């Protein structure tokens, strides 16, 4: 069938594999959040946040199945893990895991990172936890949105516009209040709405180190225990 078919088939397989990885992460995170509290997003803030995080990237039935599983008698226990590394070219990496086997998760992550030239080290100081909310809006709306957030007593450190997308960066404790204030203005279809880790400083790597980082991220993405990966490389 020729090289063109082979390339296309490989791209389709990679896309399917990426989707499968996202669905698995969504299922685990939503299940764990539902299991820790009540399996009702109206009463469980962590569950509501997890659903919002994956709403754009997962089919509704994946989310619903995870919640239903938590309602049943399933006793699967997932344990959180967080590991810090120095990466290629002096970059910083934090890998969060959600696994039923902590030792397997640590060994798997450490093997991947060290294979690409990284090593364990304390880098969390270069990241801050913040709420990020992205949504489509005109630049002319930015001032009105900022005023509304201030009036709602939302603690936000940045509000910016680029390529028809406004991004609001909030303190974690103001994340839900920010979403509510934006809802009042008619904004509810968020491109992203999650509490995440944001680097304080970014680095640009040369092409060799960039390729090492790309390969590392791809390998971490395929690891069943990895839930989130944060880094401070600006030119990936």
């Amino acid at each position: 069938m020729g090289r063109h078919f082979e390339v296309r088939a490989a791209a389709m397989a990679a896309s399917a594999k990426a989707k499968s990885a996202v669905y698995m992460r969504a299922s685990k995170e939503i299940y764990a959040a539902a299991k820790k509290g009540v399996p009702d997003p109206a009463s469980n803030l962590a569950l509501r946040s997890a659903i919002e995080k994956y709403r754009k990237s997962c089919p509704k039935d994946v989310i619903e199945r995870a919640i239903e599983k938590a309602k049943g008698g399933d006793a699967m226990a997932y344990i959180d893990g967080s590991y810090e590394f120095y990466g290629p070219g002096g970059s910083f990496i934090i890998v969060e895991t959600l696994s039923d086997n902590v030792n397997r998760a640590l060994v798997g992550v450490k093997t991947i990172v060290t294979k690409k030239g990284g090593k364990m080290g304390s880098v969390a100081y270069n990241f801050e936890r913040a709420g990020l909310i992205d949504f489509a809006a005109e630049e002319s709306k930015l001032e009105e949105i900022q005023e509304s957030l201030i009036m709602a007593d939302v603690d936000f450190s940045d509000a910016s516009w680029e390529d028809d997308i406004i991004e609001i960066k909030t303190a974690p404790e103001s994340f839900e209040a920010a979403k509510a204030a934006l809802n009042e203005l008619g904004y509810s279809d968020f491109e992203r709405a999650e509490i995440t880790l944001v680097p304080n400083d970014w680095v640009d790597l040369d092409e060799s180190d960039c390729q090492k980082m790309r390969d590392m991220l791809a390998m971490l993405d395929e690891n069943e225990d990895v839930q989130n990966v944060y880094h401070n490389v600006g030119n990936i």
Side-chain angles (χ1 to χ4, degrees):
M1 293 186 179
R3 178 62 180 162
H4 176 73
F5 174 81
E6 292 175 2
V7 172
R8 183 172 178 272
M12 290 175 66
S15 177
K17 195 169 187 178
K19 284 184 178 180
S20 177
V22 171
Y23 295 172
M24 178 183 67
R25 290 188 181 95
S27 295
K28 287 200 299 182
E29 191 166 334
I30 290 167
Y31 169 85
K35 205 71 176 175
K36 288 177 182 176
V38 293
D40 179 2
S43 307
N44 185 332
L45 179 58
L47 176 57
R48 189 161 68 247
S49 295
I51 292 172
E52 180 66 32
K53 176 180 176 179
Y54 291 103
R55 183 175 60 85
K56 288 277 187 178
S57 57
C58 277
K60 189 176 180 181
D61 64 299
V62 171
I63 294 171
E64 291 177 345
R65 281 200 303 269
I67 296 174
E68 287 302 314
K69 184 179 178 181
K71 290 179 180 178
D74 189 278
M76 178 68 73
Y78 292 116
I79 301 171
D80 298 311
S82 181
Y83 309 103
E84 304 170 41
F85 299 92
Y86 294 104
S91 58
F92 298 150
I93 305 164
I94 295 179
V95 181
E96 292 180 345
T97 58
L98 189 59
S99 175
D100 59 347
N101 187 321
V102 176
N103 290 333
R104 181 189 67 211
L106 172 57
V107 171
V109 169
K110 188 175 180 181
T111 298
I112 290 170
V113 176
T114 54
K115 187 176 181 180
K116 293 301 176 181
K119 62 179 182 179
M120 295 195 81
S122 300
V123 302
Y125 70 89
N126 191 59
F127 295 82
E128 65 171 320
R129 192 163 292 277
L132 293 181
I133 307 172
D134 297 348
F135 54 97
E138 298 175 2
E139 185 177 15
S140 60
K141 299 292 185 181
L142 186 56
E143 185 175 347
E144 175 190 7
I145 289 168
Q146 289 176 297
E147 290 176 354
S148 295
L149 293 174
I150 292 170
M151 292 300 295
D153 201 26
V154 172
D155 182 4
F156 69 100
S157 58
D158 190 36
S160 58
W161 178 92
E162 185 176 353
D163 296 332
D164 297 323
I165 296 292
I166 286 179
E167 180 172 275
I168 307 297
K169 179 182 175 184
T170 78
E173 57 272 17
S174 283
F175 178 66
E176 290 297 324
K179 288 200 298 181
L182 293 169
N183 289 164
E184 288 290 323
L185 291 175
Y187 301 107
S188 58
D189 187 19
F190 303 127
E191 295 294 321
R192 169 171 62 169
E194 62 177 313
I195 295 175
T196 184
L197 290 179
V198 181
N200 296 317
D201 296 299
W202 296 86
V203 297
D204 286 342
L205 305 182
D206 63 28
E207 184 51 38
S208 175
D209 285 331
C210 252
Q211 190 57 54
K212 289 179 184 177
M213 179 64 87
R214 292 188 198 104
D215 293 343
M216 180 194 301
L217 294 176
M219 293 170 70
L220 289 170
D221 188 56
E222 294 177 4
N223 185 285
E224 64 177 307
D225 295 315
V226 172
Q227 198 66 19
N228 300 296
V229 180
Y230 308 99
H231 62 81
N232 69 331
V233 179
N235 63 330
I236 285 292

